[in-house]
Amino acid sequence: MAKVTRDDVARLAGTSTAVVSYVINNGPRPVAPATRERVLAAIKELGYRPDRVAQAMASRRTDLIGMIVPDARQPFFAEMAHAVEQAAAERGKMVLVGNSDYRDEREVHYLRAFLGMRVSGLILVSQGMSERAASEIEAWDARVVLLHERPEAIDDVAVITDDIGGAQLATRHLLEHGHEYVACIGGVENTPSVGDPVADHVEGWRRAMRESGRSVEGRLFEAPYNRYDAYQVALDVLSGPNRPPAIFCATDDQAIGVLRAARELRIDVPGELAVAGFDDVKEAALTDPPLTTIASDRPAMARAAVDLVLDDGLRVAGSRRERLKQFPSALVIRRSCGCR
């Protein structure tokens, strides 16, 4: 059976192939309602299916958006990827997701793969963009939006939340409960010191501690961002002779690991230990006790990232304010901090 072509649809509908293209792609030119109905009826009768590969070769762009995250197993990144997928669907796009595993070579691998597929643009959640990644993006002249990371260069396009301010909110709230000090479980040794959200969370903790006249010396503990490794770190911290009265964790996943360690060591939370996190993943409301944390508007951030990656104008024009979209952080109070 011969393959149905766009020409066949045009002949049956009594119109041009250009009009058929406008109907299929919903533009760029308007089509009269009656004509549109004839084209859609012809497509249905003939069983026509557009050749997306041919369309991509002709336009040099597909209906795909590439998204690279450090680890989709972590709830924050999984929820953010889902929000991006929903926002992309509203714009008629699909999302391909790759995991960098916090490794530069994996990030570059997915950059090359997605750009080679002629994606419409890339949304990148990076652990700190390497020179190799930056060179790859420049070589392809790709549209890239940084998500959940503060850009170092004024020309970078990014969607971020107020990481430093949010961490200050959480730390101040713990101090307001009367604790002598608040310890912090931050990132790992190679966490980038500039532009990385976890580094900003640690900086927010430092600022809140110092503005209250408290020392941070010896009160910052390194831990990977996931609950499993944070649990092991928390076992050591909480079973030591100088157990902190309160802990601010740079991520909710780390805080969940701390809560697990406290339960295993029979430390009452919040009676003997107050805990707060950052991200407000859905699971934070289901921990025991429910986790006090910092929230951001992930759906709005995802829509902003998709809009930026699909709008060509911001690559060549637009002020820094238009390129950098910052969303506020909000304190979500639950019982882990000591509030009832």
Side-chain angles (χ1 to χ4, degrees):
M1 182 177 178
K3 181 180 178 180
V4 178
T5 67
R6 196 167 298 189
D7 289 336
D8 297 326
V9 175
R11 278 193 295 270
L12 182 58
T15 186
S16 67
T17 54
V19 170
V20 174
S21 178
Y22 300 154
V23 172
I24 292 171
N25 297 313
N26 198 28
R29 294 185 179 179
V31 177
T35 304
R36 176 181 292 275
E37 289 301 319
R38 290 205 313 274
V39 171
L40 293 175
I43 289 173
K44 182 176 181 180
E45 181 177 337
L46 295 173
Y48 173 68
R49 295 292 181 270
D51 189 336
R52 295 298 183 187
V53 175
Q55 289 178 343
M57 291 177 65
S59 66
R60 300 181 66 81
R61 286 286 182 264
T62 65
D63 287 334
L64 301 173
I65 294 174
M67 183 176 185
I68 304 174
V69 299
D71 188 352
R73 294 172 300 180
Q74 293 181 27
F76 175 83
F77 296 125
E79 292 179 20
M80 183 60 82
H82 186 260
V84 167
E85 185 178 21
Q86 289 183 312
E90 294 172 1
R91 297 285 301 267
K93 304 292 183 180
M94 294 181 291
V95 179
L96 299 175
V97 179
N99 290 268
S100 69
D101 292 328
Y102 294 99
R103 291 157 52 196
D104 290 341
E105 63 270 23
R106 293 293 295 169
E107 187 171 275
V108 172
H109 164 77
Y110 277 113
L111 279 170
R112 289 174 177 167
F114 289 163
L115 293 172
M117 295 176 187
R118 298 293 181 185
V119 294
S120 295
L122 275 170
I123 295 175
L124 177 59
V125 184
S126 179
Q127 72 276 17
M129 191 183 298
S130 66
E131 290 185 8
R132 290 174 60 199
S135 298
E136 200 71 33
I137 292 169
E138 185 176 354
W140 284 88
D141 190 27
R143 281 176 283 167
V144 177
V145 172
L146 300 177
L147 181 60
H148 190 51
E149 179 189 15
R150 188 176 69 248
E152 296 179 18
I154 194 169
D155 288 336
D156 288 337
V157 181
V159 177
I160 62 174
T161 190
D162 184 5
D163 291 294
I164 293 177
Q168 286 179 285
L169 280 176
T171 306
R172 286 171 186 158
H173 182 73
L174 292 175
L175 289 171
E176 286 167 359
H177 278 274
H179 298 298
E180 180 184 349
Y181 70 91
V182 176
C184 177
I185 291 186
V188 292
E189 184 178 0
N190 61 353
T191 297
S193 59
V194 177
D196 182 81
V198 168
D200 284 349
H201 298 170
V202 173
E203 177 59 25
W205 164 76
R206 284 197 183 99
R207 292 185 186 184
M209 286 282 286
R210 287 170 177 163
E211 72 185 10
S212 69
R214 291 169 170 86
S215 172
V216 298
E217 189 67 29
R219 292 168 177 174
L220 172 62
F221 302 94
E222 292 183 352
Y225 311 131
N226 66 79
R227 68 187 68 182
Y228 310 103
D229 292 313
Y231 156 76
Q232 295 292 342
V233 171
L235 285 177
D236 291 336
V237 172
L238 297 179
S239 59
N242 299 313
R243 188 178 77 206
I247 298 178
F248 165 66
C249 299
T251 72
D252 280 354
D253 225 28
Q254 291 173 322
I256 291 170
V258 171
L259 291 176
R260 166 69 189 192
R263 177 177 288 275
E264 190 168 310
L265 295 171
R266 298 185 179 180
I267 298 171
D268 177 62
V269 178
E272 299 173 271
L273 173 69
V275 180
F278 200 114
D279 290 332
D280 194 29
V281 299
K282 292 185 182 300
E283 195 174 350
L286 300 178
T287 57
D288 186 17
L291 181 64
T292 293
T293 183
I294 298 296
S296 58
D297 192 342
R298 274 191 288 277
M301 292 176 67
R303 285 193 296 273
V306 169
D307 288 344
L308 285 171
V309 87
L310 295 180
D311 292 342
D312 291 310
L314 288 179
R315 290 294 295 172
V316 296
S319 66
R320 185 168 195 270
R321 183 175 180 181
E322 291 171 323
R323 292 172 178 274
L324 180 61
K325 305 285 188 180
Q326 185 178 63
F327 288 79
S329 295
L331 179 66
V332 179
I333 297 175
R334 300 191 180 101
R335 286 197 295 112
S336 70
C337 63
C339 290
R340 293 188 179 275

